[in-house]
Amino acid sequence: MASEWIVLFAVLAPVAFGLLTLWLPRGWIEPRMVLATAGPAIAFAMLLNTAIDNRSALQAQHDYAEAQASHNDHAHGDEHDNSHAAEDASGHHGHADSPADHHSESVHADADAPAPPTTGVLPWMPSLNINIAFLTDGLGLFFGLLVSGIGTLIMLYARGYFGRAGPTSADDLYRFYPTLGFFTTAMLGVVLADYTLLTLLFWEMTSISSFLLIGWDRYDKKAVKLAMQAFFTTGLGGMGLFGGVLVFGNATGYWRWSEMLTHSDELTAQLQHVGEHPQLLWAFVLMFIGAGTKSAQFPFHYWLPGAMAAPTPVSAFLHSATMVKAGVFLVGRLFPVFAALELFPLVIIPLGAVTMLYGGVVALQQHDLKRIFAFTTVSQLGLLMAMYGVGAIDYHGQPAIDYDVTQIANHALYKAPLFIAAGAIGHVLSRDITQLNGAFYKHPAICGTMMAAALGLAALPGTISFQAKELFLYGVYHGIEAGNVVLWIVLVMTVLTAVCNVAICVRVWTTLLGLPGGMREEHGEPDHGHHHEHAHEHGLLAHLIWLPGALIVSLQFVGGVFPKLAWSRMLGLFEQPATAHNYFASHYGGLPNLTELSIGTPLICSAIAIVLGVIVGLAKPLRGSIGDFADRIYPAMYWLSVTGGGRCFRLIQTGNLKHYLLFVLGALLLGFTWAVQVDLADNDGGMLAALSSDTAGNLFEYWPGILLGLIVCLTAVLIPMTEVRIVRVLFLGACGFAVVGLYLVYQAPDLALTQLMFEIISVILFVIVLRLLPREKLHTIKLGNKAWRLVLSCVVGGVFGWMTLIAASTDRSATNPGKYPLGKTMAQHSYGNKDGLDTAMAGADGPELRGGGGTNVVNVILVDFRGFDTLGEITVLGIAAMGVWSMMPHRRRRDGRTAKPNNTEQPGVTA
Amino acid sequence: MNTDLIILLCVIPLAAGVLNVFLINQRAASRCVSIASFVAVLALSMYFLLYTAPLTGADSVLVSQMGGWKAPFGITMVFDSLSGLLIAAAATVALGSYIHSFSTLDPAVERRYYHPLMQMLLFGVNMSFLTGDLFNLFVAFEVMLMSSYSLLVIGTGMKQMRQAYKYVLLNVLASTIFLMAAGMVYGMFGTLNIADLARIVAEIEADPARSLPTGFTALAVMFLLVFGLKGAFFPLWFWLPDTYYTIPIAVAGLFGGLLTKVGVYTVARLFPLIFASDGAGGISLTIQVILVVAAAFTMFLAVLGAVSQHEVRRILSIHVISQVGYMVFGIAVMSGNALAGCAFYMIQHMVVKCALFLCCGVMEKHAGTDDLDKLGGLLKRDWKLGVLFFIAAMSLVGLPPLSGFFGKMVIIRSGFGEGYWYLGVVGLVTGALTLLSMLKIWSYGYCNPTPKDGYPVQTEPKAVIAGNRPAYFGIAMLVLAALFLGFGAEPVYTVAFKAGEQLENPKAYITAVLGDEAYATAESLAAEHAEIQVDSVQGSPATTDVRTDERAGSPVLAEVATHAPAEVSP
């Protein structure tokens, strides 16, 4: 199939060319436009080439397969149209090891899971399952062409929109083209990537670029806030997709969409018994959270109308034609496999239907053109979602999905022109529809484009839109026929949505033409729309502000009037394999169009919608401007996380040291208690037994030790309870000297000596320093209200005493029955080659052996065995000295010369 | 290669630090010395990593026995993939924030032993990453903490002192507990060498007739408390948010990058090896439950705290905690992959978080404040800073293909794979809230209109930019490093997966430190002939060699063990 390098180049071309424009001087607007346009244009050409290649390759295989089939099985002679058969044939082309091949021997060729056309793999991060490979199947390529095609035109439109003469237009375009190129690349990556995580990567990049573009007006608070809202919402969804991809990969081991598709039989079987494979269910739910937020499904649709703060080229490109369809695309990607999930239609149809109707109704109540179209976009996205849901319902043993690509294309082909025209009219007049009465006569080209596109919105006969709506109605109707009576509700909702759309079309027409019944400025409310300070331009380039829209919308009518042409040359090429069993074509003989209308419930529904729509469109009482309650969702979430979260956090981060200590020691006690519990359960309460062990008993036999211990405890408790500093120091000293006594009693003279030295020095130093401190009253602890602190301290002390007892009474020869106990071995090796003992060692080991060369094992440990520790501790003292020095204020004169430090710099104080 | 060279990673910063004490009034000279030291540490750690990359088993762990005393009798320094990654990242972060400080630190403050203290901090940190001895780890912590105390109070603001007091007090508490717990370990096992402890625990677990000493779980809980406090885990993080708010920004960046990671590293090192090693049954479970709870609350509660703040520094510093949660998540799952993810996440977080703090420093230079209510429109003044900040912020959030994503991905993936789906979900939600808090800084700081009456401090954009070239250089360096960690995650992960593997299967670590199988052989022989245990100094015939012999240290032991009975028999 297609070379991965070609597709990679196509994907990267827009951003590469966008970045190249940065090298052009700011004033060169036209060359910049040409360069920026070249990116998506090249991508378009290369993807088109890939599509044609794919098709001819499939065709060749099909011919081969056909020949084989007729050779083997003469009964296999079904009539297929080209693409149709191509998809069938692709079943014979696949990975040798795919399970599909194992089935194919016994099953009819049509039932094979067709091997998706993937490119080769460029290794990037093989150990993380992220490599560069592309899946160039119908859905992906269609989206790729849609993105790059519309992208090309939007690059041109941006030139018209930002103009030439405005004070900031050069700057705007300077920034705009690279950002838009970045988005185009990201979006192409989403739809073409084969590795699931690569899709995620590009998916997040679309979110970033969307954020940057919505917040285009960076110094406008409102725009920035809306950008944040959009990014947070889609980012939340992105995390869902992230989780879903990970769960899916973990559960199945598939990290490529193509792997998922080739193993669809196996996965379908698992999904039908999802109770045994709950991970797959969660994978779907998580991924759908991503798809739903990205595609603005109720109640997360609020970000999309908010995203209208972006410049109109962005709204036309990202927020109607392409990026918001990423969620729909994802559902389309998952559809061949996950449609088998029972939950699939149950989740998607209601959500989609509600979104659809809600968007339509709210759209009817808006006055700002961009908001109107934004809500109709929400509505249409709901419809597209519902379409996949309906598709998952069995109809005559086959999924009831039809022409999903056609439906997606349809929306892009009328919504992008609507936005383009809305932006253009907003430029020259206003975006508030009530102020546009009769605007057609002033700006016929712009308004003409808008009116033509509005026909598509209304799905009037003669447009692709009409066919698409019919197809959807048929899908729902067939679902009803298959026994899902609940779908009647969806049918009614669809009709109501269509009524809203028709009404909007009627309003646009009557208003722009200045006909009676058009919208007028009634309350004299000021225009909240944007007043762009762009001077009017003349000449060919000025027409770029509407020409791209007209170009796109013309496709609507070409396809609408000549559906067969549209089918065989445009959209049919990309339809999904599922469409191969296109029952609509076989039952009704082709696409619904003006010449081949077949009367049935769907057509009647369309007629009702149009009639009611005209009435609603002309009815004045329904023109009030209402807001969208969902606009409060983000502020509520924001409040909840910022204010609510802050309160939660401050529950424990109080700023009070006492509380901190309480939490820390509390955590220690909690953990310790639990450990004791575990010990009781697992080890028959060894920890409790230690308290009454022989060691414990022996300790209590030694009365001097107990007495000294009591003194230590008593002085420690008394220290915080006295008010006079000097007394505290003396208590501290008493405590320390009692410890010295303990060392003596337990026969550790060197420790006792060290401790004695330390105690003497510290007491003297304290006394000296205290004289220099100002007299102020100390905080003392009254036992009454602060008793818990004393209790806590005692309990913590008790815990450590207990643990020390346990550690001391452990039978070390049982835990570590080594031949060479550390202490004794060290004692042996302290002396070196100086006495009889070491002669023996030398004998064992030859002349290389050396001892520590000292006669006191403690010394040798300190300076040799563990000399590195000593080095560290000396360093600590040095650092402490530096720290004390740097803490002392005003050591330096103003002129920067060093003052002579006095002798208060003593490490002992801090150490 | 002479594996003793790994000690250079400690010696270089120590020597540079001492040298800097004497160069205290020669700014240029001490800067040169410091930069040379950071670069040398970075280069050396990279060299060791590359050197060990193709090696496997015990060869891939570089060991140096201090003083030539064989483990477990002396102190052992161990360089494995995890240490290497962290040291390299630490040196990068130190270099970045150090260069940044050239323009953001008050020269008067700089003379207050700033340069030597930075070196000493790196000395302590590297020592913690390298040491294979529990008590030496305590010493390393002391070096690190004493340097951090000193850096905290550098410049002597009253507010700074008050916050530093909390930091010092809580950390002294933790150090005290650490010391006691280390003593208990010695009491229970008679050794402080980490590899030796791991060996003992593994042997006890392998032998159904023996059981771990009483109180082992409680001991593990104590260690968890100590390291959890240093690493700012769930109910122990209090010292962190207030501290970073007041100190010089370059120091804050360094602390934000380094300090918590040392605590996390220690848990990642000790717990899979000793306290929660596989097969420990109830012990492992208890610790894992604690870790899971800590991870969930650390991630979620802290991100709520971060998102609710209004000052950039506070947002960033509370975020340090939240991201520590991800690392604890990785440790709690405790599979090789999760630990690899944890290792990767640690290094990327060091780099990214430091970069963000440093960006905040330049923001303060522009506006004189980091209060988001008084900021706005910084993009208009300095779009380059905006770009740097945005990349770093998105890396922190973990949007692909930036560095945070890859760390998070592996951790969450192994979480889902090992049944910790709830942690995975918390991790995802935390990610979204992280996004919100970063957007908050971006929106209120860089976008939005400039406040009407200007910033608290009026500055000329061009002057600020021209006056802070080193600061930009430091940030750009770290952001480039972050980009490398993102786009070049594959080679880094090759090392990180190796680190995870080494942590999960500690055999390589143990044999590298203690010698090869002969040590175990000697042990079993010694157990057979229990009567010839060394009872007293005089009577001991076991003329053991506790010195390392580079070529054949352990065979000597085996020889001794086999010969000893014959000699003793009379």
Side-chain angles (χ1 to χ4, degrees):
Chain A
M1 290 288 163
S3 156
E4 62 275 19
W5 284 106
I6 291 181
V7 185
L8 180 64
F9 187 78
V11 167
L12 293 181
V15 74
F17 280 88
L19 288 176
L20 278 182
T21 62
L22 290 175
W23 269 269
L24 297 177
R26 290 202 181 215
W28 291 17
I29 287 178
E30 276 72 34
R32 185 183 304 286
M33 175 189 79
V34 172
L35 196 59
T37 313
I42 288 172
F44 185 80
M46 293 177 100
L47 291 177
L48 197 62
N49 187 38
T50 309
I52 292 166
D53 277 0
N54 273 2
R55 191 158 161 256
S56 44
L58 285 168
Q59 184 68 47
Q61 274 164 14
H62 168 65
D63 291 345
Y64 175 74
E66 199 85 321
Q68 291 284 34
S70 60
H71 198 67
N72 297 336
D73 178 11
H74 293 279
H76 179 71
D78 288 354
E79 293 286 326
H80 296 295
D81 70 16
N82 288 343
S83 65
H84 193 160
E87 250 101 32
D88 291 347
S90 63
H92 292 276
H93 152 88
H95 303 296
D97 57 346
S98 70
D101 279 73
H102 302 303
H103 297 299
S104 64
E105 289 161 16
S106 56
V107 189
H108 187 272
D110 274 1
D112 281 359
T118 53
T119 64
V121 179
L122 298 173
W124 184 19
M125 300 181 191
S127 58
L128 302 175
N129 293 312
I130 306 177
N131 292 315
I132 295 169
F134 299 99
L135 177 57
T136 52
D137 67 342
L139 189 66
L141 273 182
F142 159 71
F143 262 101
L145 288 172
L146 183 76
V147 170
S148 52
I150 295 189
T152 310
L153 294 175
I154 292 293
M155 293 285 184
L156 296 174
Y157 173 61
R159 160 68 187 81
Y161 181 83
F162 286 109
R164 171 163 196 115
T168 60
S169 57
D171 280 351
D172 273 338
L173 284 173
Y174 182 76
R175 275 201 294 144
F176 189 77
Y177 279 133
T179 322
L180 209 63
F182 175 58
F183 165 75
T184 314
T185 288
M187 193 62 210
L188 285 174
V190 168
V191 296
L192 288 170
D194 188 15
Y195 276 86
T196 47
L197 286 165
L198 195 64
T199 302
L200 175 74
L201 187 154
F202 285 118
W203 179 284
E204 300 287 16
M205 273 159 62
T206 60
S207 291
I208 293 180
S209 53
S210 160
F211 168 71
L212 294 175
L213 287 165
I214 297 171
W216 188 253
D217 204 351
R218 296 175 297 193
Y219 310 114
D220 175 11
K221 271 192 177 169
K222 207 172 153 220
V224 170
K225 205 178 137 203
L226 291 170
M228 219 169 131
Q229 161 180 311
F231 197 5
F232 176 62
T233 312
T234 53
L236 195 66
M239 294 295 163
L241 177 63
F242 181 24
V245 164
L246 291 182
V247 172
F248 181 76
N250 267 339
T252 61
Y254 304 143
W255 297 94
R256 300 174 70 169
W257 298 118
S258 55
E259 283 176 340
M260 181 188 86
L261 293 174
T262 32
H263 297 86
S264 63
D265 287 354
E266 169 204 331
L267 289 172
T268 305
Q270 290 185 1
L271 283 163
Q272 277 159 352
H273 307 284
V274 80
E276 298 156 28
H277 307 277
Q279 282 183 314
L280 285 178
L281 177 69
W282 288 111
F284 168 70
V285 169
L286 285 170
M287 285 199 253
F288 184 71
I289 291 174
T293 48
K294 194 81 165 181
S295 276
Q297 296 299 296
F298 184 86
F300 289 108
H301 64 271
Y302 55 82
W303 72 266
L304 182 54
M308 294 302 135
T312 309
V314 176
S315 308
F317 191 26
L318 275 72
H319 303 127
S320 70
T322 57
M323 189 188 81
V324 289
K325 292 207 178 65
V328 175
F329 164 80
L330 184 67
V331 172
R333 214 4 124 231
L334 299 175
F335 179 80
V337 170
F338 282 89
L341 195 68
E342 209 180 329
L343 195 73
F344 189 88
L346 296 183
V347 168
I348 294 186
I349 296 179
L351 262 179
V354 169
T355 312
M356 174 175 77
L357 184 59
Y358 186 81
V361 170
V362 178
L364 204 56
Q365 313 296 329
Q366 306 298 316
H367 284 176
D368 181 355
L369 277 177
K370 275 181 85 172
R371 275 184 79 81
I372 296 175
F373 299 143
F375 277 106
T376 58
T377 305
V378 170
S379 164
Q380 186 72 20
L381 289 170
L383 183 140
L384 292 175
M385 279 287 178
M387 171 189 80
Y388 278 111
V390 168
I393 293 172
D394 269 3
Y395 176 68
H396 294 297
Q398 299 187 340
I401 189 159
D402 252 333
Y403 299 109
D404 52 338
V405 164
T406 307
Q407 307 234 29
I408 294 165
N410 153 50
H411 178 241
L413 292 183
Y414 75 75
K415 194 50 66 65
L418 276 178
F419 272 111
I420 288 176
I425 199 83
H427 241 192
V428 292
L429 283 175
S430 164
R431 252 170 43 195
D432 190 337
I433 192 169
T434 56
Q435 299 187 342
L436 292 176
N437 203 309
F440 179 76
Y441 306 108
K442 286 185 218 155
H443 301 282
I446 295 173
C447 293
T449 308
M450 191 189 290
M451 284 154 62
L455 289 179
L457 175 68
L460 293 181
T463 58
I464 296 182
S465 193
F466 174 69
Q467 301 162 5
K469 196 137 290 175
E470 283 289 290
L471 286 167
F472 181 72
L473 288 168
Y474 269 105
V476 178
Y477 186 62
H478 288 308
I480 296 170
E481 276 191 341
N484 294 286
V485 188
V486 194
L487 287 180
W488 275 112
I489 302 173
V490 178
L491 195 69
V492 173
M493 287 166 95
T494 316
V495 173
L496 289 178
T497 312
V499 167
C500 296
N501 287 345
V502 173
I504 288 166
C505 172
V506 168
R507 281 187 195 168
V508 168
W509 274 72
T510 49
T511 309
L512 292 183
L513 289 175
L515 298 177
M519 307 276 282
R520 278 168 208 289
E521 200 172 359
E522 280 165 17
H523 312 294
E525 45 181 276
D527 172 26
H528 296 295
H530 287 221
H531 286 291
H532 291 277
E533 301 299 328
H534 296 280
H536 292 203
E537 278 190 274
H538 298 284
L540 178 67
L541 287 170
H543 292 297
L544 283 179
I545 204 163
W546 63 270
L547 214 49
L551 214 58
I552 298 172
V553 81
S554 63
L555 290 177
Q556 272 279 354
F557 294 96
V558 173
V561 178
F562 309 106
K564 293 242 163 69
L565 182 73
W567 172 240
S568 62
R569 291 272 168 262
M570 283 164 59
L571 302 166
L573 310 185
F574 307 109
E575 292 293 358
Q576 284 217 0
T579 325
H581 321 292
N582 156 21
Y583 66 93
F584 190 91
S586 50
H587 288 218
Y588 296 95
L591 283 160
N593 61 64
L594 281 174
T595 52
E596 294 175 44
L597 288 176
S598 50
I599 311 293
T601 315
L603 192 67
I604 296 170
C605 288
S606 289
I608 295 173
I610 292 172
V611 173
L612 281 179
V614 172
I615 297 171
V616 171
L618 296 174
K620 298 215 166 167
L622 295 173
R623 291 180 177 179
S625 175
I626 61 162
D628 176 10
F629 86 91
D631 280 345
R632 292 189 204 128
I633 292 180
Y634 172 75
M637 286 203 298
Y638 188 83
W639 183 88
L640 199 67
S641 42
V642 171
T643 313
R647 278 181 200 163
C648 275
F649 182 71
R650 273 188 294 278
L651 275 184
I652 67 166
Q653 188 75 29
T654 55
N656 189 333
L657 188 59
K658 273 179 256 168
H659 296 166
Y660 296 169
L661 285 173
L662 175 67
F663 287 131
V664 170
L665 296 177
L668 175 70
L669 291 181
L670 210 64
F672 187 78
T673 317
W674 193 21
V676 173
Q677 287 295 324
V678 171
D679 176 70
L680 276 177
D682 294 355
N683 303 336
D684 308 325
M687 289 181 74
L688 289 177
L691 290 177
S692 54
S693 68
D694 288 349
T695 324
N698 288 343
L699 276 181
F700 286 107
E701 281 169 17
Y702 212 73
W703 285 106
I706 293 179
L707 198 66
L708 286 165
L710 280 179
I711 296 177
V712 171
C713 294
L714 191 69
T715 46
V717 171
L718 285 174
I719 291 170
M721 297 170 81
T722 48
E723 288 191 13
V724 187
R725 281 201 188 101
I726 199 83
V727 181
R728 280 190 178 184
V729 170
L730 291 178
F731 273 132
L732 194 63
C735 186
F737 288 117
V739 173
V740 172
L742 271 176
Y743 286 148
L744 281 173
V745 166
Y746 289 105
Q747 298 165 358
D750 35 6
L751 270 181
L753 267 176
T754 318
Q755 182 77 16
L756 192 67
M757 294 276 281
F758 170 75
E759 290 300 333
I760 292 170
I761 293 173
S762 64
V763 169
I764 293 175
L765 274 178
F766 272 132
V767 172
I768 293 172
V769 172
L770 282 186
R771 278 171 51 84
L772 305 173
L773 285 182
R775 285 173 196 284
E776 67 183 55
K777 208 177 172 204
L778 292 175
H779 297 288
T780 54
I781 296 172
K782 299 273 187 317
L783 266 182
N785 52 355
K786 300 284 171 61
W788 62 266
R789 290 166 72 178
L790 187 68
V791 172
L792 186 69
S793 309
C794 291
V795 173
V796 171
V799 162
F800 281 102
W802 186 357
M803 276 304 290
T804 313
L805 189 60
I806 289 171
S809 57
T810 305
D811 178 10
R812 230 183 284 166
S813 61
T815 52
N816 185 11
K819 193 163 164 27
Y820 317 108
L822 201 55
K824 282 174 181 159
T825 317
M826 281 181 171
Q828 273 183 322
H829 287 76
S830 299
Y831 301 97
N833 286 331
K834 280 179 188 161
D835 50 27
L837 178 77
D838 274 282
T839 340
M841 294 173 81
D845 211 52
E848 280 191 10
L849 182 103
R850 69 166 172 87
T855 51
N856 179 338
V857 66
V858 176
N859 289 349
V860 179
I861 288 176
L862 284 178
V863 300
D864 197 341
F865 294 124
R866 302 194 66 96
F868 193 57
D869 281 342
T870 313
L871 174 72
E873 288 297 353
I874 292 171
T875 315
V876 171
L877 285 185
I879 300 168
M882 286 191 274
V884 171
W885 168 249
S886 68
M887 227 187 314
M888 275 179 220
H890 309 301
R891 304 295 306 168
R892 291 173 197 277
R893 295 201 189 115
R894 290 246 167 123
D895 57 7
R897 276 168 47 207
T898 315
K900 208 159 171 65
N902 63 22
N903 62 353
T904 45
E905 182 193 342
Q906 287 289 350
V909 178
T910 42
Chain B
M1 191 184 72
N2 185 354
T3 57
D4 286 331
L5 288 179
I6 60 170
I7 196 62
L8 283 177
L9 296 173
C10 289
V11 169
I12 292 172
L14 177 64
V18 173
L19 192 58
N20 272 340
V21 174
F22 298 105
L23 296 174
I24 192 67
N25 283 325
Q26 329 248 317
R27 198 162 73 174
S30 40
R31 282 179 179 180
C32 289
V33 168
S34 294
I35 287 180
S37 150
F38 292 139
V39 171
V41 169
L42 178 60
L44 265 178
S45 56
M46 297 291 248
Y47 172 72
F48 292 141
L49 277 178
L50 289 176
Y51 173 78
T52 54
L55 304 175
T56 52
D59 292 339
S60 65
V61 180
L62 306 180
V63 174
S64 172
Q65 312 282 9
M66 297 291 95
W69 299 105
K70 185 178 168 49
F73 302 104
I75 293 169
T76 313
M77 302 304 263
V78 190
F79 179 99
D80 65 355
S81 301
L82 180 63
S83 322
L85 282 175
L86 288 168
I87 291 176
T92 313
V93 166
L95 186 61
S97 54
Y98 185 71
I99 294 176
H100 187 275
S101 72
F102 291 171
S103 59
T104 50
L105 197 67
D106 182 0
V109 173
E110 203 177 328
R111 268 197 300 275
R112 297 192 167 221
Y113 294 100
Y114 168 73
H115 305 283
L117 286 174
M118 287 287 276
Q119 295 297 329
M120 291 304 181
L121 185 73
L122 192 70
F123 169 52
V125 167
N126 283 358
M127 196 165 149
S128 323
F129 289 149
L130 279 180
T131 187
D133 186 281
L134 215 48
F135 183 76
N136 193 244
L137 182 66
F138 171 78
V139 175
F141 270 23
E142 286 304 297
V143 172
M144 183 184 85
L145 288 174
M146 192 51 81
S147 323
S148 69
Y149 302 154
S150 307
L151 283 170
L152 265 184
V153 295
I154 209 165
T156 336
M158 201 50 213
K159 213 169 160 191
Q160 198 176 335
M161 284 287 203
R162 197 174 295 132
Q163 303 303 352
Y165 179 64
K166 288 178 192 166
Y167 173 86
V168 172
L169 200 79
L170 286 169
N171 273 293
V172 165
L173 179 72
S175 296
T176 314
I177 299 176
F178 187 6
L179 193 58
M180 287 191 275
M184 289 167 200
V185 166
Y186 186 75
M188 285 185 189
F189 295 101
T191 185
L192 284 166
N193 187 288
I194 293 170
D196 204 28
L197 280 169
R199 175 190 66 83
I200 293 169
V201 171
E203 276 176 14
I204 292 179
E205 276 161 7
D207 185 355
R210 294 161 72 193
S211 62
L212 285 165
T214 308
F216 187 64
T217 314
L219 190 65
V221 168
M222 283 187 178
F223 274 110
L224 199 53
L225 183 97
V226 172
F227 303 133
L229 202 147
K230 313 256 183 206
F233 294 3
F234 160 53
L236 311 164
W237 66 49
F238 310 105
W239 57 270
L240 194 147
D242 295 339
T243 311
Y244 295 177
Y245 183 55
T246 48
I247 50 184
I249 194 73
V251 179
L254 187 67
F255 282 15
L258 282 187
L259 289 189
T260 50
K261 307 308 168 296
V262 180
V264 177
Y265 160 82
T266 329
V267 177
R269 167 70 71 211
L270 291 183
F271 279 75
L273 267 178
I274 304 170
F275 295 112
S277 57
D278 278 338
I283 291 165
S284 180
L285 185 73
T286 312
I287 298 301
Q288 276 194 327
V289 169
I290 295 179
L291 283 172
V292 164
V293 172
F297 280 92
T298 313
M299 278 191 279
F300 189 65
L301 204 53
V303 84
L304 285 182
V307 92
S308 65
Q309 301 299 319
H310 279 282
E311 285 110 357
V312 180
R313 280 195 190 210
R314 280 193 195 270
I315 295 179
L316 292 179
S317 52
I318 300 176
H319 253 304
V320 174
I321 305 172
S322 167
Q323 257 94 29
V324 162
Y326 283 106
M327 300 164 207
V328 185
F329 180 0
I331 300 173
V333 174
M334 218 169 269
S335 68
N337 277 353
L339 290 166
C342 173
F344 185 90
Y345 200 89
M346 271 198 260
I347 56 170
Q348 79 86 16
H349 184 252
M350 282 159 110
V351 172
V352 167
K353 179 50 59 106
C354 184
L356 284 173
F357 267 112
L358 300 186
C359 284
C360 172
V362 182
M363 286 166 79
E364 285 170 2
K365 282 275 171 191
H366 273 290
T369 178
D370 67 337
D371 188 343
L372 286 177
D373 295 338
K374 294 174 193 158
L375 281 170
L378 279 177
L379 216 48
K380 206 181 278 180
R381 295 169 67 99
D382 193 354
W383 64 269
K384 283 176 188 156
L385 181 67
V387 170
L388 291 172
F389 174 84
F390 195 73
I391 294 174
M394 290 302 118
S395 303
L396 188 81
V397 175
L399 292 187
L402 298 169
S403 56
F405 172 76
F406 297 103
K408 213 151 59 172
M409 184 186 99
V410 172
I411 293 174
I412 294 181
R413 184 180 149 188
S414 38
F416 279 135
E418 307 277 328
Y420 296 91
W421 58 269
Y422 36 88
L423 278 184
V425 172
V426 173
L428 292 174
V429 174
T430 305
L433 288 170
T434 310
L435 175 65
L436 187 63
S437 59
M438 287 300 120
L439 290 184
K440 212 170 141 180
I441 303 182
W442 175 256
S443 303
Y444 292 110
Y446 289 89
C447 300
N448 271 2
T450 314
K452 275 196 197 84
D453 35 359
Y455 301 123
V457 173
Q458 302 296 334
T459 51
E460 185 61 37
K462 274 183 190 154
V464 173
I465 292 168
N468 286 291
R469 295 245 179 265
Y472 288 91
F473 185 80
I475 300 171
M477 204 190 83
L478 291 176
V479 168
L480 276 179
L483 283 175
F484 168 72
L485 287 175
F487 285 89
E490 178 71 19
V492 183
Y493 250 115
T494 317
V495 182
F497 276 128
K498 197 168 171 187
E501 168 71 22
Q502 285 168 343
L503 288 177
E504 197 191 17
N505 304 315
K507 192 159 174 283
Y509 184 90
I510 296 174
T511 38
V513 174
L514 297 179
D516 51 22
E517 308 302 331
Y519 187 84
T521 317
E523 283 300 315
S524 63
L525 284 169
E528 272 176 40
H529 306 279
E531 73 277 4
I532 50 143
Q533 270 196 10
V534 187
D535 294 327
S536 65
V537 173
Q538 274 77 21
S540 167
T543 53
T544 46
D545 170 35
V546 290
R547 276 200 70 222
T548 313
D549 186 326
E550 289 293 338
R551 288 142 296 154
S554 308
V556 171
L557 273 178
E559 208 178 314
V560 169
T562 41
H563 289 311
E567 289 174 21
V568 169
S569 42

